Amino acid sequence: MQINGEAQDKPGTALLLVAAPAGKGRLTDAGSVIPVLAAVSPAVLAGTATATLIELADPLDPQAVLTRIRGAAASEGPLTVVLVGQLQLDRRQRAVHLALARTTPSTLRYTALPWAWLVNELRQRRPGTTTLYVDLVADAEVWQLLGREPLELPNGARTYGVIAPPPGRRRTTQPAYTHALAQILRTGRRSGPDELHHDALQRAATVENALILGPEHPAVQPLPAEVPPVHVPIEDDPHERIAALSQAGHHREAVALALAAEQHAVQSFGADTFAAVHWVEVRAHLASVANDPDQSCALWLHTAQIRLDTLQQAPDTPDVETAVDRAHHQWDRIRNATHARRLAPQLVAQRRRVPGRQRAALDAIQKKLERLNSLPPS
C-alpha cells in the first residue's frame, strides 16, 4: 500500500489514533472504526512485510499521546498514521487541537492534543516515508477558520482524507471515510495511497460540503459537487471594489456585487455556510452605510440566527456577539415605529441567547419597546 521498494524492505509502523470527547461534546462516532481497523493487518496498513502497531483508542492525556506519536515518528521504516476524531479551537491562542476523551470547551488547553504537536513530530521524518490518513470533524470555529486558511500539514508526509463540517445540534458524524478505507484494506489489497484514497472516497457516503485532503489538493478544498457550479463573473476578491462603490454613494451597485459574491459562495460551498453568511453580513453593512437601518437590522439578525442554529457557534463567539450587537444598534436607529415593533420580537429572542458585553442591553430593548407600544401606529 505504501512507499517504494527500498522502504518496504524495512519494518513499518502503523499508528492508529482514534479519539473523541465523551458526552454531548462529541461530534463524531470515532470509536465505531476501532473494530474494523483492528481487523486490518499492521503490515497491510504500513505496506511492508512486517510492521508494529501502535493503537491509541480514546486516550486521555495529551502528553501521553505526544510520547506515542514521538516514538512512532522516530521509527526508520515507513510510517502510516490513521487519525479519526474532531478538531476544536482554543479561543485564546487561536490554535487548533485534536479533542481527546476528557476534552470539554473549558478544559481544551489541558485535555486536548495541539494539532501543531502532531505536525511538528511528523515533519521531522525523512520525506516520502510517512502517509497520513485523516477522518476529522471540525467544530464551528475551526470550520470558520478553514474557510480563511488551510489546515497546517506536515511537510514531507503524504496526507489524505476528509474534514467534515460540524453536524447539527445533538448529532454526530460517522467516520465513513475510515470505514471505507478499512474495508478495502481488509481484503489484503496493497494499492498505492493515491488509488486507495480515491477508492475510499468513492465508497464513503461523505458529508455534504466536507473538505478533502490529497496530493491534488495541497490546501483544503471542497469535495466536487455533483452539479458543476455556475460561474458568477466577479473578481476573486471584490471587497475593495464594493467598498469603493459604497464610499462613492453607488449603493445599488455595491449591493449587486455583494449579492453576486454571495451567490458564488452558495454555489461553491452551499447555503448557510460561513462563506455565504459572510456576504450577508457585507450586505448588512452596506445597508447601514446607505442609511437603511431596517434592512441592516434584519440582515444582522438573520446572520446571527444562522451562526447560532445552523453553524452551531456558541453565544459568546465574537462573530455571534458582533452580529447581535450590530442588529441592536441598527434597531435603535429605526425611526418607523411599526418597523421597529416588527423586528423587536426577534431581537429580544436573540438578546436573551446572546446578552453580549453590555449587561443592560435586553432591558434597553424592552424599555424602548414599551415606549413604541404607547405610540399610535405609523
Side-chain angles (χ1 to χ4, degrees):
M1 163 187 139
Q2 193 139 14
I3 317 216
N4 50 45
E6 178 183 353
Q8 288 179 354
D9 292 338
K10 297 180 180 180
T13 302
L15 171 63
L16 308 182
L17 175 50
V18 179
K24 61 182 181 180
R26 183 186 295 263
L27 301 179
T28 178
D29 185 15
S32 66
V33 302
I34 295 175
V36 291
L37 286 172
V40 179
S41 163
V44 172
L45 276 171
T48 54
T50 60
T52 300
L53 175 65
I54 302 174
E55 182 177 319
L56 299 172
D58 280 328
L60 303 176
D61 179 30
Q63 289 291 342
V65 174
L66 175 62
T67 299
R68 303 300 293 276
I69 294 173
R70 186 167 290 162
S75 62
E76 294 185 1
L79 171 64
T80 297
V81 180
V82 179
L83 182 59
V84 184
Q86 66 190 58
L87 300 176
Q88 296 183 217
L89 190 69
D90 176 359
R91 295 177 183 173
R92 290 186 180 180
Q93 297 181 348
R94 306 299 295 173
V96 177
H97 286 62
L98 177 72
L100 301 182
R102 293 189 297 195
T103 298
T104 65
S106 61
T107 65
L108 177 68
R109 192 174 303 175
Y110 313 105
T111 61
L113 179 78
W115 181 257
W117 288 7
L118 174 72
V119 171
N120 290 337
E121 294 301 324
L122 295 184
R123 70 168 29 137
Q124 297 178 42
R125 287 180 52 81
R126 184 162 55 90
T129 62
T130 308
T131 305
L132 174 62
Y133 296 96
V134 303
D135 196 342
L136 301 168
V137 179
D139 74 359
E141 290 170 302
V142 172
W143 188 251
Q144 184 178 24
L145 185 66
L146 293 179
R148 298 192 297 267
E149 58 187 69
L151 185 67
E152 183 182 13
L153 300 174
N155 298 332
R158 291 174 296 183
T159 304
Y160 306 87
V162 298
I163 304 177
R169 182 177 297 178
R170 297 179 182 175
R171 296 177 59 189
T172 57
T173 296
Q174 293 296 319
Y177 175 83
T178 304
H179 276 284
L181 203 70
Q183 289 168 0
I184 296 170
L185 292 175
R186 285 176 64 179
T187 66
R189 173 178 163 186
R190 287 179 178 239
S191 59
D194 287 5
E195 183 181 350
L196 178 62
H197 167 67
H198 287 295
D199 288 351
L201 282 178
Q202 290 178 355
R203 288 196 182 199
T206 50
V207 177
E208 184 180 1
N209 295 328
L211 308 173
I212 59 173
L213 295 170
E216 71 275 34
H217 301 280
V220 178
Q221 298 288 340
L223 283 170
E226 293 182 3
V227 180
V230 177
H231 296 286
V232 179
I234 60 172
E235 302 102 317
D236 290 338
D237 185 356
H239 289 88
E240 291 187 7
R241 177 61 177 160
I242 291 172
L245 287 169
S246 177
Q247 291 169 5
H250 302 304
H251 301 301
R252 294 180 62 183
E253 293 88 341
V255 171
L257 188 53
L259 280 169
E262 183 182 339
Q263 181 185 17
H264 181 69
V266 169
Q267 292 167 339
S268 299
F269 304 104
D272 295 343
T273 59
F274 285 108
V277 168
H278 166 75
W279 290 108
V280 180
E281 292 175 337
V282 170
R283 291 197 291 118
H285 173 72
L286 292 174
S288 172
V289 174
N291 199 27
D292 187 353
D294 303 42
Q295 177 73 354
S296 183
C297 176
L299 289 171
W300 281 118
L301 288 172
H302 176 60
T303 63
Q305 190 83 25
I306 292 174
R307 288 185 177 279
L308 285 165
D309 295 336
T310 303
L311 302 178
Q312 295 291 293
Q313 290 187 278
D316 61 349
T317 302
D319 287 337
V320 175
E321 288 189 341
T322 296
V324 178
D325 286 346
R326 291 182 179 177
H328 188 169
H329 175 67
Q330 293 303 316
W331 185 77
D332 278 336
R333 293 179 60 204
I334 297 174
R335 295 292 175 259
N336 186 300
T338 301
H339 293 175
R341 291 192 196 99
R342 176 176 54 83
L343 291 169
Q346 188 178 358
L347 178 61
V348 169
Q350 295 288 17
R351 264 301 177 213
R352 284 175 176 158
R353 299 175 67 183
V354 187
R357 307 306 168 98
Q358 298 180 5
R359 295 182 180 179
L362 182 58
D363 290 340
I365 297 173
Q366 293 172 332
K367 288 179 180 179
K368 180 176 178 178
L369 190 55
E370 289 175 0
R371 293 196 302 272
L372 292 173
N373 288 334
S374 66
L375 298 174
S378 300

